[in-house]
Amino acid sequence: MPGPLIRAKLGDRLIVHFTNHLPANTTVHWHGLRVPNAMDGVPEHTQPAVASGRSFTYDFVLRDAGLFWYHPHVMSAAQVGFGLYGALLVDDPADGLRTLDEAVFVLSDISIMDGELESPTSGGDLASTFGREGTRVLVNGRPDASLFVRDGAPQRWRIVNAAKSRYFLLDLEGEPFLVIGGDGGLQERTERRDSLVLAPGERLDVIVAPRRPADGSPLVLRSGLFDRGFGSTEFRRVESLLTIGFADLPRYAGAMPTPSVRPLEALEVAGAKRVQLDLTFSNADGANQYGVNGAVFAGEMVLTAKVGETQVWTLTNRTHWSHPFHLHGFFFQVLDEENRPVRPLAWKDTVDVPFDRTVRIAVRFDDRPGMWMYHCHILDHADIGLMGMLEVRPAR
């Protein structure tokens, strides 16, 4: 674990010959990629599930640069939890940052009990309600990962949270992070942060310049305690993700790069169709369930949009848990309470909706009609009801 890093260039045609050797059905969903609807990997709505021993060919053009990832969309919590995920990096030769040393970090976790993989149904209904976190954190499939760098030399880190429930609150012992992009590639300008939060499904593109501590000890990238609801910081510990050692080289004396990143245009939301989505919780016949507007799996409520249309979705979390909201197939921009774009402008496909909070997003539907899924990317939450469908219809 993880699966192989697929690396390509902006505008490339990617053909993936996929064969299922599992004893169960599965698919591949290309998280964040603007693929044709038939390539999105959602059974019943975009393609039949790939049965054991059968094959399917995914074939699409890479329309956007950035870090994306792939994972199943059948029994997602179980299959992702057991390690079926990988990263896909689409390079833009014109982004001006290719001279930096670069690393791709796939963050995840896995549950191992007494030397065995823990059942994806362990803990029952309560664990599904919380969202199961693994007992071991992993970086590129490894516990206790390590990296050697030149003291002070800037590096570009491309980071994806592939865990099925865990949020990562990243801290590099006070060393700053220069954020240059996220889910949908480079953002409009850089942003300095002392720590980073990645909800499940999110990506970040950052520049760091790790400096050797005065006592000569290694530097450690840690994940701190993040409150995603209902006492989720209890019975948890700060995790060491990556130990950074320093090569026997002189300290880098150059300047930290200050890229201008890329110009982005805010979506025009005046006159946009408004959609209200309440993220809800209920208990029916003794089973805990999540839903959208009170309907588990959104019931028969299929949202609709037309090609070329812009909509503003108001996501109100009426539960006591945070939910990373993921929309298949399309990027969106996050808006503030006045429906103005949050700066710096960035394209997103996954946004955290904190418990008891409201988040607004603006999305424009380009020319890819079909049935598209939206759901919570805490995959246990999706499995017990927090998902729905959007039908994008041709403009005429």
Side-chain angles (χ1 to χ4, degrees):
M1 309 184 299
L5 171 64
I6 301 173
R7 190 155 195 163
K9 292 184 177 64
L10 180 65
D12 280 352
R13 178 184 177 189
L14 180 65
I15 302 173
V16 177
H17 302 292
F18 172 69
T19 301
N20 179 15
H21 294 292
L22 300 178
N25 292 352
T26 195
T27 62
V28 181
H29 166 57
W30 306 94
H31 184 121
L33 291 177
R34 293 192 297 153
V35 297
N37 187 252
M39 298 289 107
D40 195 47
V42 176
E44 300 180 16
H45 298 289
T46 67
Q47 69 170 102
V50 182
S52 180
R54 303 299 296 271
S55 298
F56 186 88
T57 296
Y58 294 93
D59 185 347
F60 47 83
V61 173
L62 299 169
R63 303 169 53 146
D64 302 284
L67 180 65
F68 307 96
W69 64 299
Y70 57 92
H71 62 81
H73 235 289
V74 175
M75 300 173 60
S76 299
Q79 294 190 5
V80 171
F82 283 165
L84 290 181
Y85 48 81
L88 192 159
L89 181 58
V90 182
D91 288 312
D92 180 357
D95 74 6
L97 297 168
R98 294 177 57 79
T99 58
L100 293 177
D101 289 339
E102 184 177 77
V104 174
F105 294 139
V106 180
L107 308 182
S108 62
D109 59 10
I110 196 164
S111 282
I112 300 175
M113 300 295 289
D114 300 322
E116 300 288 338
L117 290 172
E118 189 174 23
S119 167
T121 61
S122 66
D125 195 43
L126 183 61
S128 295
T129 304
F130 180 83
R132 296 169 179 86
E133 295 185 9
T135 56
R136 298 297 302 271
V137 294
L138 305 173
V139 178
N140 294 344
R142 297 174 179 267
D144 307 316
S146 61
L147 181 72
F148 279 87
V149 303
R150 182 180 178 184
D151 186 5
Q155 296 198 333
R156 186 178 187 180
W157 290 1
R158 321 290 284 269
I159 311 170
V160 53
N161 182 356
K164 64 178 183 177
S165 295
R166 183 185 296 269
Y167 286 61
F168 286 91
L169 170 57
L170 303 182
D171 174 79
L172 191 57
E173 299 191 40
E175 293 291 315
F177 300 92
L178 189 66
V179 179
I180 61 175
D183 295 352
L186 297 177
Q187 58 193 36
E188 69 170 346
R189 59 174 170 79
T190 60
E191 184 180 20
R192 186 186 185 279
R193 297 188 199 168
D194 294 325
S195 62
L196 304 172
V197 175
L198 283 95
E202 285 189 306
R203 285 88 68 209
L204 280 174
D205 188 349
V206 302
I207 297 175
V208 297
R211 293 178 296 179
R212 189 196 308 266
D215 62 4
S217 62
L219 199 62
V220 180
L221 177 68
R222 293 185 172 89
S223 181
L225 301 178
F226 182 82
D227 183 8
R228 61 181 180 91
F230 235 100
S232 56
T233 58
E234 297 181 15
F235 312 111
R236 294 292 185 269
R237 64 178 185 271
V238 174
E239 302 281 0
S240 295
L241 301 177
L242 183 72
T243 300
I244 300 174
F246 294 89
D248 187 16
L249 292 168
R251 171 173 283 194
Y252 176 81
M256 188 78 163
T258 55
S260 58
V261 192
R262 67 168 172 168
L264 292 178
E265 182 178 342
L267 292 177
E268 177 56 62
V269 299
K273 179 180 178 180
R274 262 51 178 182
V275 176
Q276 175 70 45
L277 296 180
D278 288 355
L279 313 182
T280 55
F281 176 80
S282 62
N283 182 283
D285 299 324
N288 291 340
Q289 299 173 323
Y290 290 106
V292 180
N293 292 351
V296 178
F297 298 106
E300 299 300 318
M301 184 194 72
V302 176
L303 303 181
T304 60
K306 291 183 179 180
V307 168
E309 183 180 24
T310 298
Q311 295 186 358
V312 173
W313 291 12
T314 299
L315 313 172
T316 299
N317 187 350
R318 302 194 183 279
T319 79
H320 298 300
W321 307 90
S322 294
H323 300 293
F325 182 91
H326 172 52
L327 174 63
H328 284 214
F330 300 92
F331 292 128
F332 53 77
Q333 293 175 355
V334 180
L335 306 177
D336 65 15
E337 294 180 356
E338 304 298 326
N339 287 323
R340 297 171 301 198
V342 172
R343 301 286 179 167
L345 277 178
W347 290 113
K348 298 278 293 173
D349 58 63
T350 306
V351 63
D352 186 39
V353 186
F355 53 92
D356 299 324
R357 295 279 300 277
T358 293
V359 172
R360 295 166 181 82
I361 62 174
V363 56
R364 181 170 56 206
F365 299 100
D366 58 25
D367 192 7
R368 286 172 302 116
M371 294 291 287
W372 300 93
M373 180 177 280
Y374 60 89
H375 62 92
C376 175
H377 224 283
I378 294 177
L379 297 176
D380 286 311
H381 292 179
D383 280 357
I384 61 172
L386 216 173
M387 64 168 64
M389 299 303 300
L390 162 75
E391 182 183 7
V392 178
R393 300 169 177 171
R396 55 181 179 171

